[in-house]
Amino acid sequence: MNMEPTVLAWLTAGVAVPAAVLVFALGYVSRAASTAVGLISVLALLALFAYTANIIMAYYSAASFPPDLAWVEKGLLYQRVAAGQLAAASFIIGIMAVQYYMEISKREGHE
Amino acid sequence: MRALVKLWELILERFHLKEFLEHPVPRYSNINPLYWFGDVAAVSFFLLALTGFFLALLYTPSVNVQQIPASAIMKWDQLYGVEGGEVSATGSYLSVYKIVYLTPFGFILRQFHLWAAYLMIMAALVHFFAKFVLGAYKRRGGGALWLLGVLLGFLTINQAVLGYILPLHLDGILALMIGLNLFRYFDYLGIPVGGTIIALLGSNYPTNEVVKMIYVLHILIVPAVILILLGLKIQGILYGGVSPPPVRNEALRQKMVEDKEPFYPHRFALMVGQVFLQISFLLLLVAFFPQPLLEPWAPGQGVPTGVRPPWPVMWYYTYVKMIDPFISVGLPFLLVLFALVVPLLDRRGGVSVSERWVWILIAILYMAVIGYGTVLGFIVDIPKQITPFTRIVVPPDSAVPYAGTPTPVG
């Protein structure tokens, strides 16, 4: 039994939003802790993406033309959730890279 | 691990990458947002190339008519009224339909490509404005980079329109009809550009050959030219440096110019961050603001009222509609020409805001012309049904030296 797209979306938001806030906030305290939280959350999001991708691949194995529109709409929902999962993972990696720049830029005495 | 480190060092040495990675970058360009948007546009271009590669594998250019049951047209695509039990569409439309609705990850691929294109245009416009404000063309070598930038901007907008045509939906066909009509106005300049282009295309109607040519232009020729110009631009920035900081105080400016960081790891880390944040932003747009595929067009079918071109050329559409086309049709060329001569006109003084406020006002006015037309195009309704042929008045046949008789489809 596959998870519904809305359930997957809420699950993704439940992981991504606290993780992004934590990575951002911890960046001002300890970059090591921020990186650890970032990497774990990215892995969790990629695991969720892998699960969603599996559902998408299985779902579209039944694609036919002309399609049933309810079927198409559900497929689009799964794909939008997958896009959201990748967006969250990319966002966290992006924050970590910018934080790294801020740290090395500071360390070398430019203040 | 040691072997990997050795291999990495060997690669750095043999390909002379160390010189590149360690080249100094001024710190002010890393932290001032006015210096970021060129990178955003360039990264968008590479993201577009990546997604475009997969889309090109799945897309088939064709105007051959095929039938789609009206029940298979998604609700959000039924913008202008789908009628009957079956709807006629082209092979191109059907192939995009299959990419978007029947292929795993095809929806993400196409949406990402669309949003990345919009972001590239927006970033290119902001980058153009930022460099206008900074007077980037005043430094040594800046004029050449400015020239490349203007050409790249022009090509970017053309590339967007070419891509918009490919699905052959009603909005795309409107863009194509206007584009084909535009060529005919060139003949009034005394140069048979329009006739030659139409003769090369073989028709002034969308045929299989025309669509195939647009496809090749979109996936090969225009991106190749963009890539060459972009390479020249990156080379120029690498060796000529970025625009000087917009400050009047000479000592402060010198201090800012000398405060440098190596490209690796400083700017590199920032670029990695930018790339991932950009991908994240685009994927969020895909997830939260997906765009409809739009309604199919079939050969012979007119374009109904309410169909509008995409926003990057909406300003042009508005002015052509508002002002006599024989005056307004050349507006983009006028804007490009003006942009090209700006470095020749604005030569005196420094680059600080207080020294060049007149030129900053001109930059704002320039962007306002584009912004005003774009906004107006979306809020003002078209009062009567206008077909693409009457929207832009077709010049008399005597002005169009056809090489052969065009064969309209449908």
Side-chain angles (χ1 to χ4, degrees), chain A residues 56 60 75-84, chain B residues 100 103-108:
Chain A
I56 291 171
Y60 278 84
L76 295 192
L77 278 181
Y78 274 121
Q79 292 203 47
R80 286 171 64 184
V81 171
Chain B
V100 176
T103 310
F105 299 105
F107 178 75
I108 296 180

Side-chain angles (χ1 to χ4, degrees), chain B residues 43 73 208 246-247 250 261 282 305 354-355:
Chain B
V43 169
I73 302 285
N208 274 328
V247 285
E250 185 57 40
E261 295 170 331
L282 290 169
T305 319
S354 58
E355 283 168 290

Side-chain angles (χ1 to χ4, degrees), chain A residues 15-27:
Chain A
V15 175
V17 175
V21 173
L22 215 57
V23 168
F24 186 77
L26 278 175

